Amino acid sequence: MVSLAGALKTFRHEPIKGKDRSLMVRFGLLGCGHIAKRHSELLGGGIVEGARLVAVCDSDRARADAIAAKFKVSAYADHNEMLARDDIDAVAVLTPSGRHGGVW
């Protein structure tokens, strides 16, 4: 199992830990195409310690629904609706690189 702390140190960031010294980051995925398959497996499958998948979003609702059903999380077609949730700590933007800016 890969630890979230170890993954963050790879990027030269130290994780923020709570009083109990544990860390849980709740992720949303924005874009459910090819690359989202690996991200959803890592975050939704319990492979990355301290990370949990809570929601996915894609303009093609069927793609979002497929990943959401597999990991029992919420699916959205509207990114604003997903981002309005208060239980998402981080979002992985997995849209094609030329479309990243158009999301916001």
Side-chain angles (χ1 to χ4, degrees):
M1 179 176 288
V2 176
S3 75
L4 183 57
L8 290 173
K9 285 179 183 176
T10 300
F11 296 103
R12 298 185 184 165
H13 294 285
E14 290 294 324
I16 298 170
K17 295 184 179 181
K19 291 179 186 174
D20 64 357
R21 306 297 294 163
S22 67
L23 174 70
M24 177 59 69
V25 179
R26 299 163 298 180
F27 280 85
L29 300 184
L30 185 52
C32 294
H34 180 71
I35 194 70
K37 179 180 179 194
R38 182 66 177 145
H39 282 73
S40 63
E41 289 169 354
L42 291 169
L43 298 170
I47 295 171
V48 178
E49 182 181 310
R52 182 167 56 109
L53 183 63
V54 296
V56 295
C57 179
D58 196 283
S59 58
D60 180 342
R61 180 61 188 255
R63 287 197 298 201
D65 286 341
I67 291 176
K70 182 175 181 179
F71 297 102
K72 296 178 177 42
V73 299
S74 300
Y76 297 90
D78 179 343
H79 68 278
N80 289 312
E81 195 176 329
M82 183 183 81
L83 295 173
R85 292 176 56 143
D86 62 1
D87 66 340
I88 295 177
D89 303 310
V91 175
V93 179
L94 306 173
T95 59
S97 59
R99 296 188 56 209
H100 283 33
V103 171
W104 314 108

